Amino acid sequence: MIGGTWLNTVPDRKTTTALPQLAAAMVVLPVFLQAPWVRIHPFSAAVFTAVLIVAGVLLHRSNCERRAEIGSLLVGFSGSWLAGCVFWGWMRAHPLLHLPIEAFALPLALTGLNSKWRLAAAFYLASLAGTACTDLTMALTGVMPFWPAVVNAPLGEASQLLHEAASQLMKPQQLLILIAASGSLLSASRWLKELDLNSATASQTYAMTASVLTTTLFIDGLFLLAALLQPGLSGLI
C-alpha cells in the first residue's frame, strides 16, 4: 500500500518537463501559422478555433495524463487563437482594442483556475499578461501611434514605417523602458519557477506559466530585431 500510494502521488517527470516546452511551442505557433493565415483568410482561421476546442476536449478526456494536459493547453490556446484572429483579421488598425479583444475570455479563465481546466486557464491568462506587457511597453515608449499607419500602408511604405518605429526604441529613454519591461517579465518567470509548492500539479502550472511569459519576451525580441533589420519578416505587415 505504501509503495502504491507513493507511485500515485509522484508526478510523471516526462509530463512535468514537457509542459513548459509545449506551452512555449503554442506561443510561437501563431507567429508562423496564424499571422499569414489571418492575412489571407481571417474567417477560416477563426473557424479553426472550433477544431482546437474539439481536439482539446477529446484529448482532455483521455486516461493518459500527458494527452489530458495537451488537451487542456489546446483549449487555453484556442482562446488566444480566436482573439488573435478577430483582432488581426478585422480590427488590426485599432491598437487600443487589442487588449480588450484579447481579454474576451478573462472571466471564464479566472473561474477555470479552480477547476479541472486550470492549465487551460493558466495558459490563457499567461498569454494575456504577456500581451498586456507588450502593449503597455509600446504605449510607454511612444511607438503605439505608428501601429495604424503601418498596417494600413502599402507594403513598401509599411516596411519603412515599421523600421522607423523600431528605430525609435533605440533611444536611451525608450531602451530603459524596454530593459525594465524585459527585466520584469524575466523576474516574474524566475519567481514562478522557484516557488516551493507542495502540489506537483501547481508546480507544473506555474512552470508552464513562466515558460509562456519567457517565450513572449523572446518573440517580442525577435519582432524588434526583424523590424530593425528586415521589416517584411516581422509578421505585422
Side-chain angles (χ1 to χ4, degrees), residues 21-36:
Q21 283 77 13
L22 287 170
M26 289 181 183
V27 175
V28 175
L29 186 62
V31 178
F32 299 101
L33 177 61
Q34 186 181 35

PDB file of all heavy atoms in Angstrom, residues 21-36:
ATOM      1  N   GLN A  21       7.637  23.216 -22.447  1.00  0.00           N
ATOM      2  CA  GLN A  21       8.015  23.209 -23.860  1.00  0.00           C
ATOM      3  C   GLN A  21       6.786  23.244 -24.760  1.00  0.00           C
ATOM      4  O   GLN A  21       6.766  23.933 -25.784  1.00  0.00           O
ATOM      5  CB  GLN A  21       8.863  21.969 -24.176  1.00  0.00           C
ATOM      6  CG  GLN A  21      10.309  22.039 -23.711  1.00  0.00           C
ATOM      7  CD  GLN A  21      10.455  21.809 -22.221  1.00  0.00           C
ATOM      8  OE1 GLN A  21       9.519  21.372 -21.561  1.00  0.00           O
ATOM      9  NE2 GLN A  21      11.634  22.085 -21.689  1.00  0.00           N
ATOM     10  N   LEU A  22       5.746  22.508 -24.393  1.00  0.00           N
ATOM     11  CA  LEU A  22       4.512  22.513 -25.169  1.00  0.00           C
ATOM     12  C   LEU A  22       3.875  23.898 -25.162  1.00  0.00           C
ATOM     13  O   LEU A  22       3.407  24.400 -26.187  1.00  0.00           O
ATOM     14  CB  LEU A  22       3.535  21.485 -24.597  1.00  0.00           C
ATOM     15  CG  LEU A  22       3.851  20.017 -24.843  1.00  0.00           C
ATOM     16  CD1 LEU A  22       2.928  19.128 -24.022  1.00  0.00           C
ATOM     17  CD2 LEU A  22       3.727  19.682 -26.322  1.00  0.00           C
ATOM     18  N   ALA A  23       3.855  24.521 -23.994  1.00  0.00           N
ATOM     19  CA  ALA A  23       3.285  25.857 -23.879  1.00  0.00           C
ATOM     20  C   ALA A  23       4.080  26.861 -24.706  1.00  0.00           C
ATOM     21  O   ALA A  23       3.505  27.713 -25.401  1.00  0.00           O
ATOM     22  CB  ALA A  23       3.251  26.287 -22.414  1.00  0.00           C
ATOM     23  N   ALA A  24       5.402  26.742 -24.668  1.00  0.00           N
ATOM     24  CA  ALA A  24       6.246  27.652 -25.447  1.00  0.00           C
ATOM     25  C   ALA A  24       5.983  27.488 -26.944  1.00  0.00           C
ATOM     26  O   ALA A  24       5.910  28.469 -27.689  1.00  0.00           O
ATOM     27  CB  ALA A  24       7.721  27.378 -25.143  1.00  0.00           C
ATOM     28  N   ALA A  25       5.817  26.244 -27.385  1.00  0.00           N
ATOM     29  CA  ALA A  25       5.531  25.992 -28.800  1.00  0.00           C
ATOM     30  C   ALA A  25       4.210  26.636 -29.226  1.00  0.00           C
ATOM     31  O   ALA A  25       4.080  27.156 -30.335  1.00  0.00           O
ATOM     32  CB  ALA A  25       5.489  24.488 -29.064  1.00  0.00           C
ATOM     33  N   MET A  26       3.234  26.622 -28.323  1.00  0.00           N
ATOM     34  CA  MET A  26       1.936  27.217 -28.649  1.00  0.00           C
ATOM     35  C   MET A  26       1.998  28.739 -28.685  1.00  0.00           C
ATOM     36  O   MET A  26       1.170  29.383 -29.332  1.00  0.00           O
ATOM     37  CB  MET A  26       0.891  26.752 -27.632  1.00  0.00           C
ATOM     38  CG  MET A  26       0.517  25.291 -27.781  1.00  0.00           C
ATOM     39  SD  MET A  26      -0.750  24.769 -26.594  1.00  0.00           S
ATOM     40  CE  MET A  26      -0.867  23.008 -26.985  1.00  0.00           C
ATOM     41  N   VAL A  27       2.965  29.325 -27.996  1.00  0.00           N
ATOM     42  CA  VAL A  27       3.164  30.769 -28.073  1.00  0.00           C
ATOM     43  C   VAL A  27       3.819  31.138 -29.401  1.00  0.00           C
ATOM     44  O   VAL A  27       3.497  32.161 -30.019  1.00  0.00           O
ATOM     45  CB  VAL A  27       4.028  31.266 -26.889  1.00  0.00           C
ATOM     46  CG1 VAL A  27       4.347  32.755 -27.040  1.00  0.00           C
ATOM     47  CG2 VAL A  27       3.304  31.024 -25.577  1.00  0.00           C
ATOM     48  N   VAL A  28       4.730  30.296 -29.862  1.00  0.00           N
ATOM     49  CA  VAL A  28       5.455  30.564 -31.107  1.00  0.00           C
ATOM     50  C   VAL A  28       4.590  30.293 -32.334  1.00  0.00           C
ATOM     51  O   VAL A  28       4.698  30.984 -33.353  1.00  0.00           O
ATOM     52  CB  VAL A  28       6.740  29.702 -31.168  1.00  0.00           C
ATOM     53  CG1 VAL A  28       7.439  29.863 -32.507  1.00  0.00           C
ATOM     54  CG2 VAL A  28       7.684  30.081 -30.033  1.00  0.00           C
ATOM     55  N   LEU A  29       3.701  29.300 -32.248  1.00  0.00           N
ATOM     56  CA  LEU A  29       2.921  28.856 -33.402  1.00  0.00           C
ATOM     57  C   LEU A  29       2.192  29.981 -34.135  1.00  0.00           C
ATOM     58  O   LEU A  29       2.231  30.023 -35.379  1.00  0.00           O
ATOM     59  CB  LEU A  29       1.920  27.780 -32.967  1.00  0.00           C
ATOM     60  CG  LEU A  29       1.118  27.095 -34.088  1.00  0.00           C
ATOM     61  CD1 LEU A  29       2.045  26.362 -35.043  1.00  0.00           C
ATOM     62  CD2 LEU A  29       0.098  26.127 -33.498  1.00  0.00           C
ATOM     63  N   PRO A  30       1.516  30.902 -33.447  1.00  0.00           N
ATOM     64  CA  PRO A  30       0.803  31.957 -34.174  1.00  0.00           C
ATOM     65  C   PRO A  30       1.696  32.805 -35.075  1.00  0.00           C
ATOM     66  O   PRO A  30       1.244  33.327 -36.093  1.00  0.00           O
ATOM     67  CB  PRO A  30       0.194  32.803 -33.051  1.00  0.00           C
ATOM     68  CG  PRO A  30       0.026  31.849 -31.921  1.00  0.00           C
ATOM     69  CD  PRO A  30       1.224  30.944 -32.001  1.00  0.00           C
ATOM     70  N   VAL A  31       2.969  32.950 -34.699  1.00  0.00           N
ATOM     71  CA  VAL A  31       3.880  33.769 -35.495  1.00  0.00           C
ATOM     72  C   VAL A  31       4.057  33.173 -36.883  1.00  0.00           C
ATOM     73  O   VAL A  31       4.105  33.886 -37.891  1.00  0.00           O
ATOM     74  CB  VAL A  31       5.245  33.887 -34.790  1.00  0.00           C
ATOM     75  CG1 VAL A  31       6.221  34.696 -35.642  1.00  0.00           C
ATOM     76  CG2 VAL A  31       5.079  34.518 -33.418  1.00  0.00           C
ATOM     77  N   PHE A  32       4.143  31.847 -36.956  1.00  0.00           N
ATOM     78  CA  PHE A  32       4.428  31.191 -38.233  1.00  0.00           C
ATOM     79  C   PHE A  32       3.182  30.676 -38.950  1.00  0.00           C
ATOM     80  O   PHE A  32       3.187  30.523 -40.175  1.00  0.00           O
ATOM     81  CB  PHE A  32       5.392  30.016 -37.997  1.00  0.00           C
ATOM     82  CG  PHE A  32       6.705  30.435 -37.419  1.00  0.00           C
ATOM     83  CD1 PHE A  32       6.968  30.283 -36.066  1.00  0.00           C
ATOM     84  CD2 PHE A  32       7.680  31.004 -38.220  1.00  0.00           C
ATOM     85  CE1 PHE A  32       8.177  30.687 -35.517  1.00  0.00           C
ATOM     86  CE2 PHE A  32       8.901  31.413 -37.690  1.00  0.00           C
ATOM     87  CZ  PHE A  32       9.147  31.247 -36.338  1.00  0.00           C
ATOM     88  N   LEU A  33       2.114  30.412 -38.215  1.00  0.00           N
ATOM     89  CA  LEU A  33       0.908  29.855 -38.834  1.00  0.00           C
ATOM     90  C   LEU A  33      -0.243  30.850 -38.849  1.00  0.00           C
ATOM     91  O   LEU A  33      -0.818  31.142 -39.907  1.00  0.00           O
ATOM     92  CB  LEU A  33       0.483  28.582 -38.093  1.00  0.00           C
ATOM     93  CG  LEU A  33      -0.816  27.919 -38.575  1.00  0.00           C
ATOM     94  CD1 LEU A  33      -0.684  27.504 -40.034  1.00  0.00           C
ATOM     95  CD2 LEU A  33      -1.171  26.719 -37.706  1.00  0.00           C
ATOM     96  N   GLN A  34      -0.582  31.401 -37.700  1.00  0.00           N
ATOM     97  CA  GLN A  34      -1.764  32.251 -37.625  1.00  0.00           C
ATOM     98  C   GLN A  34      -1.594  33.563 -38.386  1.00  0.00           C
ATOM     99  O   GLN A  34      -2.503  33.991 -39.108  1.00  0.00           O
ATOM    100  CB  GLN A  34      -2.113  32.554 -36.171  1.00  0.00           C
ATOM    101  CG  GLN A  34      -3.422  33.320 -36.011  1.00  0.00           C
ATOM    102  CD  GLN A  34      -3.723  33.629 -34.555  1.00  0.00           C
ATOM    103  OE1 GLN A  34      -2.822  33.879 -33.762  1.00  0.00           O
ATOM    104  NE2 GLN A  34      -4.991  33.603 -34.195  1.00  0.00           N
ATOM    105  N   ALA A  35      -0.444  34.223 -38.224  1.00  0.00           N
ATOM    106  CA  ALA A  35      -0.247  35.537 -38.853  1.00  0.00           C
ATOM    107  C   ALA A  35      -0.458  35.500 -40.368  1.00  0.00           C
ATOM    108  O   ALA A  35      -1.261  36.278 -40.902  1.00  0.00           O
ATOM    109  CB  ALA A  35       1.133  36.082 -38.494  1.00  0.00           C
ATOM    110  N   PRO A  36       0.212  34.603 -41.101  1.00  0.00           N
ATOM    111  CA  PRO A  36      -0.028  34.569 -42.553  1.00  0.00           C
ATOM    112  C   PRO A  36      -1.427  34.082 -42.909  1.00  0.00           C
ATOM    113  O   PRO A  36      -2.025  34.553 -43.880  1.00  0.00           O
ATOM    114  CB  PRO A  36       1.049  33.604 -43.062  1.00  0.00           C
ATOM    115  CG  PRO A  36       1.462  32.790 -41.880  1.00  0.00           C
ATOM    116  CD  PRO A  36       1.304  33.690 -40.702  1.00  0.00           C
TER     117      PRO A  36
END
